[in-house]
């Protein structure tokens, strides 16, 4: 199969699909600031970006004569498989928002299709690009992990206003933010993370959970996670790792790192600029970056987790 590697003497001509909250808050600014990309068109059923040609769906975008090199998908995970498969079949490099698909089989199939077609597939995990994550991984690499506590609590009404899909079947509920914590844990912990048990609370009028508790293990170390979508007041996105040489603390979604005996270190947020820089690198090198470990842990929680019914929820 002929490689779809673009001509590196020019920008990567990009189509952006699913113009919602994350596309506007993060993708558009990151694309504008990266001179390796040119946003040439969008696809969204209801939304447009000023000054950029728009289409109602990805098929029209692909057929639109834009000489595309790549697509970035920012739609919810349900329905993303067909969109992704269409991009790959058209020979376009592909960057996926998290979670990368709706099911494990979908993403493994997309990975096979991308390899066969010779295009880059990048399953992004934006939280892994938070400033404290890579220094945390390096610090932990030489130490014995004894216990891990993950506390991921945010207010669904503040961060996901009106996003009905998130509590529908396949929307993942509180695992939508919780998977960010799992993406960090699976990056920084030296050993594999295995789920042992889980429980979750699903509102009586919804299909996906608002709360979840996970008991995992990394080597001999217990890894406990608590996810809550009903946190009002201060928001908590923390990971604490006890080691034989003290406790490492990541706060604010990985943006603040505190090592034992040290002061908290915070660096500016550059998660999405780093994702697009990485995507450009992968495309240039004809490489893949496909890591589904966080997604597998969520799937495992749905496989073995106990369900309890909670009070009805309205946005
Ligand atoms: P959103 O605000 O609902 O935007 C998604 C957009 O996708 C919608 O505006 C919609 O635009 C389009 N869409 C296509 N098919 C859809 C469907 N079946 N149901 C609903 N919308 C559909 O969601 P978002 O917060 O941007 O999240 C999108 C993805 O980014 C999710 O996978 C999420 O996990 C991830 N993400 C979100 C955040 C965040 O803070 N919000 C952060 C990081 C990652 P049209 O109606 O115009 O088609």
């Amino acid at each position: 199969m002929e490689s779809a590697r673009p001509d590196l003497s020019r920008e990567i001509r990009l189509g952006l699909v699913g113009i919602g909250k994350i596309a506007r808050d993060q993708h558009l600014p990151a694309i504008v600031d990266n001179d390796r990309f040119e946003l040439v068109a969008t696809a969204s059923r209801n939304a447009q970006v000023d000054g950029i040609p728009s289409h109602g769906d990805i098929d029209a975008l692909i057929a639109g004569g834009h000489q595309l090199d790549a697509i970035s998908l920012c739609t919810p995970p349900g329905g993303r498989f067909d969109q992704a498969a269409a991009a790959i079949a058209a020979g376009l490099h592909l960057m996926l928002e998290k979670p990368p698909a709706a099911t494990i089989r979908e993403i493994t199939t997309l990975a096979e299709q991308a390899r066969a077609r010779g295009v880059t597939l990048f399953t992004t995990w934006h939280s892994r690009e938070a400033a404290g994550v890579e220094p945390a991984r390096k610090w932990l690499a030489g130490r014995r992990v004894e216990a891990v506590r993950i506390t991921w609590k945010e207010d669904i009404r503040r961060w996901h206003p009106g996003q009905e899909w998130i509590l529908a079947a396949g929307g993942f509920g509180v695992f939508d933010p919780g998977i960010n914590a799992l993406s960090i844990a699976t990056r920084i912990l030296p050993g594999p993370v295995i789920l042992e048990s889980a429980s979750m609370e699903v509102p009586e009028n919804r299909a996906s959970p608002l709360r979840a508790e996970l008991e995992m293990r990394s080597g001999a170390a217990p890894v406990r996670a608590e996810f809550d979508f009903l946190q009002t007041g201060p928001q908590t996105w923390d990971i604490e790792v006890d080691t034989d040489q003290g406790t490492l603390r990541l706060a604010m979604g990985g943006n603040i790192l505190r090592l034992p005996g040290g002061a908290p270190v915070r660096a500016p947020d550059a998660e999405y600029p780093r994702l697009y820089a990485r995507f450009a690198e992968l495309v240039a090198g004809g490489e893949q970056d496909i890591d589904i470990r966080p997604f597998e842990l969520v799937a495992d929680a749905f496989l073995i987790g106990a369900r309890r019914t909670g009070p009805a929820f309205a946005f």
Side-chain angles (χ1 to χ4, degrees), residues 17-207:
V17 178
I19 307 302
K21 186 172 190 309
I22 201 62
R24 290 194 190 282
D25 289 357
Q26 297 289 349
H27 288 255
L28 287 169
I31 293 163
V32 167
D33 285 349
N34 187 322
D35 59 13
R36 290 291 296 118
F37 290 95
E38 185 186 356
L39 179 63
V40 293
T42 63
S44 214
R45 297 162 308 178
N46 302 295
Q48 294 87 36
V49 175
D50 285 349
I52 304 289
S54 64
H55 301 275
D57 61 39
I58 192 167
D59 295 326
L61 168 67
I62 290 170
H66 301 291
Q67 294 181 293
L68 290 166
D69 298 304
I71 295 274
S72 180
L73 278 189
C74 308
T75 51
R80 213 185 275 156
F81 176 76
D82 286 343
Q83 299 166 332
I88 292 168
L92 302 175
H93 303 288
L94 184 61
M95 168 163 158
L96 298 176
E97 252 302 350
K98 47 65 52 169
T103 68
I104 298 287
R105 195 59 208 139
E106 282 185 358
I107 187 57
T108 51
T109 300
L110 291 173
E112 287 160 12
Q113 291 175 347
R115 286 195 186 98
R117 189 70 177 84
V119 296
T120 290
L121 179 62
F122 180 23
T123 58
T124 67
W125 301 105
H126 66 90
S127 293
R128 287 182 173 175
E129 305 301 332
V133 171
E134 185 55 17
R137 187 190 67 78
K138 286 194 174 129
W139 190 85
L140 288 169
R143 290 169 172 86
R144 190 179 72 241
V145 173
E146 293 177 343
V148 183
R149 292 171 296 282
I150 299 172
T151 312
W152 224 254
K153 298 185 172 187
E154 66 179 54
D155 183 353
I156 185 174
R157 294 184 176 92
R158 175 169 164 197
W159 301 101
H160 305 273
Q163 290 182 357
E164 298 286 342
W165 62 264
I166 221 166
L167 291 175
F172 298 91
V174 75
F175 288 98
D176 180 83
I179 202 169
N180 297 333
L182 299 175
S183 76
I184 295 176
T186 49
R187 170 61 62 87
I188 65 173
L189 296 176
V193 182
I194 306 291
L195 183 77
E196 293 191 315
S197 67
S199 59
M200 60 190 84
E201 180 181 307
V202 181
E204 63 182 21
N205 61 339
R206 304 281 175 162

Side-chain angles (χ1 to χ4, degrees), residues 256-266:
I256 302 176
L257 173 63
R258 184 168 197 168
L259 295 175
V265 177
R266 177 175 204 143

